[in-house]
Amino acid sequence: MASLVQAVLFTFATHTFAQSISDLGVSGGNGSRGGIGDGDHPVMHAQAYITDAMIPLAPNTTRQLAQGTAPVLSRTNNSGTCGNFRFVVVDSTSNGARQQMVGFGHAWTDSAVDVFNTLQPAVLDQVMNDLFGQSGNNMGFMRHTIGSSDLSGAQYSYDDNGPSFNEGEPDPSLANFSLGQYGTAMAQMIAKMGTYKGDVFLFGAPWSLPGWMKNNDLFIAGITNTPGGQYPLLNNSFNIGYIPQAVEYFTKYIDAFAQYGVTINGLSLENEPLNYQGGYPTMYLDAADEANILNQGLGSMLQQRGVLAMAYDHNTDQPVYPYRVLQGAPSYAHAVAWHCYQGPYPNYTVMADISRAFPGTLQFMTECSNYLPAAGSVNFEVAENFIPPVQQGASGAAMWVMATDPDFGPHSPYGGCNGCLGSIVVNSSTTYTKTNDYYMIGQFSRFVRRGSVNYNVLRGNEGSGATSNQFYVMSVQNPDGSWAVVFMNNMGSDQDVVLSFTGQGNQFWEGVVPSQTVTTWLIPSQQVLNQVNGTKAASTVPPYPFTNTTSIPLTGSTTIAVCNITTATTSSSSSSTSTTALPVPDTTHTIATTSMV
Ligand SMILES: *[C@@H]1O[C@H](CO)[C@@H](O)[C@H](O)[C@H]1NC(C)=O
Ligand SMILES: *[C@@H]1O[C@H](CO)[C@@H](O)[C@H](O)[C@H]1NC(C)=O
Ligand SMILES: *[C@@H]1O[C@H](CO)[C@@H](O)[C@H](O)[C@H]1NC(C)=O
Ligand SMILES: *[C@@H]1O[C@H](CO)[C@@H](O)[C@H](O)[C@H]1NC(C)=O
Ligand SMILES: *[C@@H]1O[C@H](CO)[C@@H](O)[C@H](O)[C@H]1NC(C)=O
Ligand SMILES: *[C@@H]1O[C@H](CO)[C@@H](O)[C@H](O)[C@H]1NC(C)=O
Ligand SMILES: *[C@@H]1O[C@H](CO)[C@@H](O)[C@H](O)[C@H]1NC(C)=O
Ligand SMILES: *[C@@H]1O[C@H](CO)[C@@H](O)[C@H](O)[C@H]1NC(C)=O
Ligand SMILES: *[C@@H]1O[C@H](CO)[C@@H](O)[C@H](O)[C@H]1NC(C)=O
Ligand SMILES: *[C@@H]1O[C@H](CO)[C@@H](O)[C@H](O)[C@H]1NC(C)=O
């Protein structure tokens, strides 16, 4: 079948992209480093995967990456005759091509490292495969904390040089730099990720630089952080006298991780640089100083090591910050990171503004969290903060805490997130639980390959953070030429969707996106559809592997008639109900000989 694989390989050569990821130090990703939709695993027939937005009241009572009824291909434009269909139109011409994608994922925190280190080896192997393996979530865009964050049981930096974090003496030569027990444990754990995922894009972000690099004067104030007591509001701003030390600190960190076999692909200079509250580690870093650090040595060091400098890493309500960094360090700042916590809802259109002002700048949604979602409630936190950023130019997105114990920890006793629900809850050395976020992230990370291209959705989106109902659509073309289309249906009713591509007339994909779900459709490439038509007269051969059934079974006993045309459900899923769990995407490479006659 090698010739077929080559035949269906898609080339992007004729397209130009607003944002390319070609020099990120991570490959396009085939085989063990890719997954369905890469050149080696082409999508051979339409498929649908569904995760219910309701947080299940009991395990396995909702659809979680369940295989649903695949959309069916119609050759007729039934939009005039088919009633209440929602028409989704993707501009698949070169005009519609937007940014290239890096991937989706999560953050490594000390909490994840701690709880994973309590697992028995075989269980750790399973959880790593669930997160990074091709039969698992296959996550490809990962963040990690440099030093402690609020999801750390202890506070530390890699050079405290004193009794504890925020209480050290200056160490101008960084002689006392050390990853220490927590940093070492994190590097060792992250190194295991490569076994499952290959070259994942990994970027680091400190919550604070060492305390002595900040404008804190604890010795004058005579204060320390007291658990359970009143913690002081430290000044917590970066002392610009320590720019050379900051550069050296980041250099030593990148090289120390490399010694454990971990390649750092990106660096955010400071997590939430406008957040300097006391308690858990924070640091104020002015935008001008973020640019200054890049200009005074960090930028060239990162370039030498092939590390992407990522500006800002904070909420969408202060977009002036990344503008100042991009303007202040034009030689070095080529990416912007955003968080989702602007109230009452994030305004991701600021990302499109950046793309216009600084063409080619990569952007990412790098932090968002589900806080204590109630069982039985409908929760779209992941899709609401993955789809709109991509629509506005993001090449990837990552949820925050990946794994905790059942008490949302270990986390800082001094403040920060004490209810951030990760994807994995480790219950014991032999048991862990995958939360709904795990499956929601999988709706993206399993199906969107590195190097895929986001295309503009001309029609079909509805609503926004300001409205009570939303229907969001994200459409990427994967390296094999197939399409992964992710729908978020928060309309309160099933949506009968007709999906078409402007560059591919006379093809209308009809199917149901069930109410209160995130649903991903995989649509085969034109090359596959051409191939399966084979040499036989087009009029007599239904496009493989579609049969000419005329109804789509829905959840329960309902069926809807799709427009009565000579196409229908896929042979592989025509009898399946939507509750069949099939976490492993179908990557069948062969074409059934019956349809090749
Ligand atoms: C993917 O696999 C195809 C077929 O083996 C090969 O031609 C292509 O170069 C590979 N691409 C990458 C990025 O590895
Ligand atoms: C839920 O389903 C998974 C996959 O089929 C299975 O491994 C697990 O044991 C089930 N959990 C419960 C509580 O039934
Ligand atoms: C399908 O028909 C509708 C009107 O019924 C029209 O708006 C739309 O452009 C047509 N789509 C294509 C691809 O021809
Ligand atoms: C820092 O390093 C110096 C020289 O190696 C050592 O004497 C000192 O004890 C270290 N300080 C701390 C706080 O570890
Ligand atoms: C922190 O200290 C710096 C330098 O002394 C000062 O400019 C800044 O205003 C202080 N910030 C706060 C919030 O006190
Ligand atoms: C979102 O930001 C854009 C600028 O990118 C602005 O024009 C718009 O008014 C903002 N929307 C809201 C609801 O604040
Ligand atoms: C693990 O802990 C979580 C959170 O407390 C809980 O929802 C889940 O039921 C537990 N799973 C097991 C198998 O004990
Ligand atoms: C496959 O055959 C159909 C008719 O059954 C034809 O309309 C269509 O254009 C062919 N597909 C491609 C991609 O050429
Ligand atoms: C398609 O429909 C025709 C006429 O109803 C029927 O004879 C044929 O068996 C159907 N083909 C398939 C693959 O179901
Ligand atoms: C499809 O055909 C069936 C049976 O002929 C008919 O009852 C149904 O109304 C048709 N559906 C549409 C959307 O035309």
PDB file of all heavy atoms in Angstrom, residues 345 347 349-350 353, ligand 6:
ATOM      1  N   TYR A 345     -15.395  37.393  30.113  1.00  0.00           N
ATOM      2  CA  TYR A 345     -14.957  36.340  29.193  1.00  0.00           C
ATOM      3  C   TYR A 345     -13.804  36.905  28.375  1.00  0.00           C
ATOM      4  O   TYR A 345     -13.703  38.124  28.169  1.00  0.00           O
ATOM      5  CB  TYR A 345     -16.091  35.878  28.267  1.00  0.00           C
ATOM      6  CG  TYR A 345     -16.760  37.015  27.532  1.00  0.00           C
ATOM      7  CD1 TYR A 345     -16.262  37.477  26.312  1.00  0.00           C
ATOM      8  CD2 TYR A 345     -17.877  37.655  28.078  1.00  0.00           C
ATOM      9  CE1 TYR A 345     -16.862  38.535  25.666  1.00  0.00           C
ATOM     10  CE2 TYR A 345     -18.470  38.719  27.437  1.00  0.00           C
ATOM     11  CZ  TYR A 345     -17.955  39.158  26.228  1.00  0.00           C
ATOM     12  OH  TYR A 345     -18.538  40.214  25.599  1.00  0.00           O
ATOM     13  N   ASN A 347     -11.354  38.091  25.426  1.00  0.00           N
ATOM     14  CA  ASN A 347     -11.581  38.707  24.114  1.00  0.00           C
ATOM     15  C   ASN A 347     -10.430  38.301  23.194  1.00  0.00           C
ATOM     16  O   ASN A 347      -9.420  39.002  23.088  1.00  0.00           O
ATOM     17  CB  ASN A 347     -11.642  40.233  24.276  1.00  0.00           C
ATOM     18  CG  ASN A 347     -11.934  40.921  22.958  1.00  0.00           C
ATOM     19  OD1 ASN A 347     -11.981  40.274  21.910  1.00  0.00           O
ATOM     20  ND2 ASN A 347     -12.110  42.229  23.016  1.00  0.00           N
ATOM     21  N   THR A 349     -10.138  38.357  20.077  1.00  0.00           N
ATOM     22  CA  THR A 349      -9.882  39.103  18.836  1.00  0.00           C
ATOM     23  C   THR A 349      -8.596  39.929  18.929  1.00  0.00           C
ATOM     24  O   THR A 349      -8.057  40.325  17.906  1.00  0.00           O
ATOM     25  CB  THR A 349     -11.051  40.044  18.462  1.00  0.00           C
ATOM     26  OG1 THR A 349     -11.154  41.065  19.440  1.00  0.00           O
ATOM     27  CG2 THR A 349     -12.354  39.281  18.347  1.00  0.00           C
ATOM     28  N   VAL A 350      -8.105  40.145  20.143  1.00  0.00           N
ATOM     29  CA  VAL A 350      -6.824  40.867  20.257  1.00  0.00           C
ATOM     30  C   VAL A 350      -5.705  40.077  19.566  1.00  0.00           C
ATOM     31  O   VAL A 350      -4.688  40.648  19.164  1.00  0.00           O
ATOM     32  CB  VAL A 350      -6.456  41.150  21.729  1.00  0.00           C
ATOM     33  CG1 VAL A 350      -7.500  42.068  22.359  1.00  0.00           C
ATOM     34  CG2 VAL A 350      -6.308  39.865  22.532  1.00  0.00           C
ATOM     35  N   ASP A 353      -5.561  41.044  15.967  1.00  0.00           N
ATOM     36  CA  ASP A 353      -4.912  42.357  15.847  1.00  0.00           C
ATOM     37  C   ASP A 353      -3.389  42.200  15.808  1.00  0.00           C
ATOM     38  O   ASP A 353      -2.704  42.867  15.031  1.00  0.00           O
ATOM     39  CB  ASP A 353      -5.298  43.256  17.035  1.00  0.00           C
ATOM     40  CG  ASP A 353      -6.789  43.550  17.082  1.00  0.00           C
ATOM     41  OD1 ASP A 353      -7.459  43.414  16.040  1.00  0.00           O
ATOM     42  OD2 ASP A 353      -7.276  43.904  18.170  1.00  0.00           O
TER      43      ASP A 353
HETATM   44  C1  LIG B   6     -12.354  42.970  21.860  1.00  0.00           C
HETATM   45  O1  LIG B   6     -11.175  43.557  21.394  1.00  0.00           O
HETATM   46  C2  LIG B   6     -11.347  44.275  20.195  1.00  0.00           C
HETATM   47  C3  LIG B   6      -9.984  44.712  19.761  1.00  0.00           C
HETATM   48  O2  LIG B   6      -9.284  43.604  19.322  1.00  0.00           O
HETATM   49  C4  LIG B   6     -12.267  45.435  20.422  1.00  0.00           C
HETATM   50  O3  LIG B   6     -12.479  46.136  19.219  1.00  0.00           O
HETATM   51  C5  LIG B   6     -13.597  44.915  20.929  1.00  0.00           C
HETATM   52  O4  LIG B   6     -14.428  45.985  21.281  1.00  0.00           O
HETATM   53  C6  LIG B   6     -13.390  44.029  22.150  1.00  0.00           C
HETATM   54  N1  LIG B   6     -14.659  43.392  22.470  1.00  0.00           N
HETATM   55  C7  LIG B   6     -15.187  43.473  23.670  1.00  0.00           C
HETATM   56  C8  LIG B   6     -16.482  42.787  23.849  1.00  0.00           C
HETATM   57  O5  LIG B   6     -14.655  44.063  24.577  1.00  0.00           O
END
